[in-house]
Amino acid sequence: MNCPLCRGEMKHGTSHILIERGEDAVIVIIKVPAMVCEQCGDDFIDIQVTRKIEALLKKLESEGLKMGFVDYTRAA
Ligand SMILES: [Zn+2]
């Protein structure tokens, strides 16, 4: 797979996602599996991973978490 931005080579790696909900909720999901561009550092996250993150967010919200870092590998 090649980077859609710079056409550089993309390799398996990890990324993080920042989620903002309203004014007082910020959650960062770390260690998210992603394809990462070797040249520009842009990342591409798989739709299945995105769905897992959505489910994880619902769980975190039901637990009342509004701010913090969540390790994807532990939650998935
Ligand atoms: Zn790139």
Side-chain angles (χ1 to χ4, degrees), residues 38-56:
E38 283 193 315
Q39 277 194 84
C40 72
D42 195 47
D43 51 48
F44 178 85
I45 293 160
D46 197 89
I47 184 72
Q48 282 159 314
V49 174
T50 308
R51 288 206 186 111
K52 268 192 186 172
I53 287 167
E54 281 169 3
L56 173 62

Side-chain angles (χ1 to χ4, degrees), residues 3 5-8 37 39-42:
C3 176
L5 294 179
C6 73
R7 308 216 165 264
C37 176
Q39 277 194 84
C40 72
D42 195 47

